[in-house]
Amino acid sequence: MGANLSSIFVDPNALSLYGSLSPQSTTLKPTLGDLPEGCVASILAYLEPPEICKLARLNRAFRGASWADFVWESKLPVNYVRIIERVFGDDLPRKLSKREIFTRLCRANTFDGGTKKVWLDKIAGGVCLSICSKGLAITGIDDRRYWNHIPSEESRFHSIAYLQQIWWFEVDGQFEFPFPAGTYSLFFRLQLGRAAKKFGRRICNAEHVHGWDIKPVRFQLWTGDGQYASSQCFLTDPGKWNLYHVGDFVVDSTNLSMNLKFSMTQIDCTHTKGGLCLDSVVVYPCKFIERLKHF
């Protein structure tokens, strides 16, 4: 009985991942907490951000090392200072640590009057951008016989443009942004039919969907340095949000802002088209496109 009780009251300072629970153990063995923070930080720099945050809960040494600036600077885009200036201007505090900057950039940060959002991919750190329907030039948008801006919980911007019926369909957009070097894809996020909730369940009214199976929609993309891409397809799959690929573009230099122009048209005055929801335009790094499944 005495032996069993004595085994319970073991000195907690003697416990470690490498130590023994035996009361006869009199020699303290090194633990992970004995590692210098500089050593731990050098290891953390090779890990992805979610792994760093998990290990930060391990002990005091790992928690302190997880705040090292050089660990998080390696996760930030090379031109993160220019991105901060473009998105926040002077609104971001100047004395933030690199970890706090990374955390802030991983949020969906709204700028340009609420028409755009930009964020970092939390795992890979790639820059992603989205432009809402109100940030696009839409033919007939001011005439409520054709278009309406309606609230939607299914949009990052909580609002979408709904097309009732029109003959001449044309959507254009243009913006400039300091993307880090890399290859990017541009998409339109669209849905045929108008979604709503009934008795807590999502339903989609496709009654007014027409005209999209007669002639394909044409997508085009231009960049300020002369790149061009185009594609065309029929809009299908009513009731589901789809990303329609416009094209890819390459950013060679992080020192310059990339100017982009893009369009979506279906011009055929022999028939009308309608029942389309336009949410946004999305720009995503090509090597992380598989993450768009959860967009």
Side-chain angles (χ1 to χ4, degrees):
M1 178 72 176
N4 290 335
L5 286 174
S6 65
S7 66
I8 296 176
F9 297 102
V10 181
D11 181 2
N13 294 323
L15 301 182
S16 73
L17 294 176
Y18 300 102
S20 169
L21 294 178
S22 170
Q24 285 77 25
S25 177
T26 57
T27 304
L28 293 179
K29 296 184 178 180
T31 70
L32 287 177
D34 295 324
L35 288 172
E37 282 189 12
C39 254
V40 176
S42 296
I43 296 171
L44 295 182
Y46 289 95
L47 304 180
E48 292 180 343
E51 296 172 326
I52 296 173
C53 294
K54 288 179 182 177
L55 288 174
R57 299 194 295 264
L58 191 59
N59 57 42
R60 183 177 299 175
F62 276 76
R63 184 166 58 254
S66 71
W67 282 88
D69 273 352
F70 79 86
V71 171
W72 292 97
E73 188 156 18
S74 66
K75 312 304 175 188
L76 289 165
V78 175
N79 64 338
Y80 73 90
V81 174
R82 297 196 64 220
I83 294 175
I84 289 173
E85 292 172 350
R86 177 70 174 86
V87 177
F88 299 104
D90 296 327
D91 294 336
L92 198 68
R94 295 187 178 276
K95 292 187 178 180
L96 292 179
S97 69
K98 295 299 188 295
R99 174 171 170 166
E100 289 171 319
I101 292 174
F102 182 88
T103 301
R104 193 71 66 93
L105 288 178
C106 282
R107 301 172 188 169
N109 300 286
T110 304
F111 65 108
D112 279 3
T115 60
K116 300 180 182 68
K117 290 182 183 288
V118 67
W119 66 97
L120 296 184
D121 184 282
K122 292 180 180 180
I123 296 178
V127 174
C128 314
L129 189 143
S130 184
I131 309 165
C132 71
S133 58
K134 292 182 179 180
L136 305 173
I138 303 174
T139 300
I141 190 63
D142 296 324
D143 194 328
R144 298 194 65 179
R145 292 175 300 172
Y146 307 128
W147 288 90
N148 281 301
H149 284 294
I150 59 176
S152 173
E153 296 178 355
E154 299 178 347
S155 170
R156 284 180 177 266
F157 299 92
H158 310 293
S159 173
I160 60 175
Y162 177 69
L163 172 65
Q164 300 181 95
Q165 180 171 286
I166 205 166
W167 292 87
W168 185 287
F169 179 86
E170 186 171 13
V171 179
D172 297 289
Q174 181 175 1
F175 72 98
E176 189 173 306
F177 193 81
F179 288 101
T183 305
Y184 297 82
S185 291
L186 189 142
F187 303 84
F188 273 86
R189 187 171 187 256
L190 310 168
Q191 176 184 262
L192 292 179
R194 183 170 175 174
K197 283 190 175 180
K198 188 174 183 180
F199 303 116
R201 297 182 61 186
R202 183 185 189 273
I203 60 172
C204 190
N205 183 357
E207 178 183 356
H208 301 292
V209 176
H210 67 280
W212 305 107
D213 57 345
I214 299 174
K215 186 177 180 181
V217 171
R218 187 182 186 193
F219 301 99
Q220 295 183 87
L221 167 67
W222 301 265
T223 69
D225 60 359
Q227 300 177 62
Y228 172 76
S230 67
S231 62
Q232 62 178 22
C233 67
F234 291 96
L235 303 188
T236 59
D237 206 3
K240 179 182 177 183
W241 287 105
N242 287 299
L243 290 169
Y244 290 89
H245 184 223
V246 178
D248 299 339
F249 63 93
V250 178
V251 178
D252 292 322
S253 173
T254 56
N255 297 321
L256 300 174
S257 290
M258 175 62 76
N259 190 297
L260 294 174
K261 292 178 65 177
F262 48 88
S263 69
M264 171 185 175
T265 56
Q266 209 265 45
I267 301 171
D268 182 357
C269 293
T270 62
H271 71 280
T272 62
K273 37 265 173 191
L276 176 71
C277 290
L278 168 58
D279 173 36
S280 59
V281 168
V282 182
V283 178
Y284 222 79
C286 285
K287 59 183 178 180
F288 307 133
I289 283 180
E290 67 277 1
R291 303 193 197 283
L292 280 175
K293 296 175 183 178
H294 309 292
F295 187 86

